[in-house]
Structures are given as structure tokens and as C-alpha cells.
Amino acid sequence: MSEDKQRPQFAQPAEEIFARILDYYGIAWQYEPRSFALEWDEQGNIIEAFRPDFYLAEQDLYVELTTLRPQLSTKKNRKLRRLRELYPEINIKLFKRKEMRDLMVKYGLLQEAAQLHGTAAQPNGE
């Protein structure tokens, strides 16, 4: 279960579903606990960062979920590559749209999976 007593405000429905699956299996998680700086300006100010959706402390694993259509996930993939370059010690797993849908189907969340399958890309491109 989440270490937080109060449920976070999730940015997308897939995050809520993923949290429910983690809770069901008793996997401790934190929602967006850390940002990773990816790019700085000349003065050293952070101008781009990446905040993975979940952290699973017992597995020392960050998890990022995306429901973007594959052709629209270029920006997120670039950020993940950059994170891996700068922070090679960080373990991170990306669950893409198809993997999220398959996970929902596996756990009997057929209605949620059907909605995800037909969902348009998120407007912010993340």
C-alpha cells in the first residue's frame, strides 16, 4: 500500500488503476516522489526535469506509465534516455500504452482497458 494515508490526485486514470493493482498485492509505492534534473541553463538553473509516476522502494524501481499513442511518445522516450544517461544507477521501467492495456486485461479490468484502447493522446504530450 501507499505510504501516504491520503490518496494522491493522479494525473491520469491509468495511474489510479496501477496504484490499485499495487495495493492489491501489498506493494508499497510512492507517487511522484522525486524529480530528476535533465537539462540546465548557463547559470545552472534546471530548465528540464523528469518526474516518474511511481517509486517502489522495496524493488528500488521507478515506474513511468504512458497512455500516449506510440507515434506521440517521442518526448517521453527522449526524457527517459536522458535520465538513463545522467543517472545510470536509477532503475526505471516504462509501461507503454499496450502494456498498460494488457495489464488491465490480465487483472480483469476489461472496461478500463477498453477505454484506454480508444483513448486519444493526452493533450500535454507527456
Side-chain angles (χ1 to χ4, degrees):
M1 289 187 200
S2 169
E3 295 175 6
D4 299 329
K5 299 294 182 207
Q6 188 175 6
R7 239 11 199 190
Q9 185 68 31
F10 293 104
Q12 58 176 311
E15 294 171 350
E16 170 68 30
I17 292 165
F18 190 75
R20 287 179 15 215
I21 292 169
L22 294 174
D23 286 346
Y24 180 82
Y25 284 100
I27 299 171
W29 55 271
Q30 297 171 356
Y31 183 66
E32 297 185 338
R34 179 177 173 191
S35 289
F36 295 91
L38 300 180
E39 189 177 338
W40 300 262
D41 65 14
E42 299 79 29
Q43 292 78 35
N45 299 308
I46 297 169
I47 58 173
E48 184 176 43
F50 184 70
R51 181 178 288 191
D53 297 319
F54 291 90
Y55 179 64
L56 313 180
E58 292 173 14
Q59 293 79 12
D60 188 27
L61 176 67
Y62 287 90
V63 176
E64 176 65 17
L65 309 175
T66 185
T67 57
L68 292 173
R69 294 180 180 171
Q71 65 270 27
L72 299 175
S73 61
T74 304
K75 185 176 180 181
K76 185 169 283 195
N77 287 329
R78 185 190 57 74
K79 284 184 173 187
L80 280 170
R81 278 193 306 276
R82 184 74 174 141
L83 183 140
R84 288 179 175 128
E85 289 172 9
L86 294 172
Y87 307 94
E89 73 282 4
I90 298 297
N91 298 315
I92 187 163
K93 166 72 176 146
L94 173 65
F95 282 88
K96 296 180 180 177
R97 181 184 175 121
K98 183 183 179 328
E99 293 167 320
M100 281 301 302
R101 184 178 179 279
D102 291 348
L103 189 68
M104 291 174 191
V105 169
K106 179 178 180 177
Y107 290 100
L109 303 167
L110 303 178
Q111 188 174 24
E112 292 88 341
Q115 291 173 353
L116 180 62
H117 182 65
T119 312
Q122 298 295 316
N124 66 1
E126 293 293 320

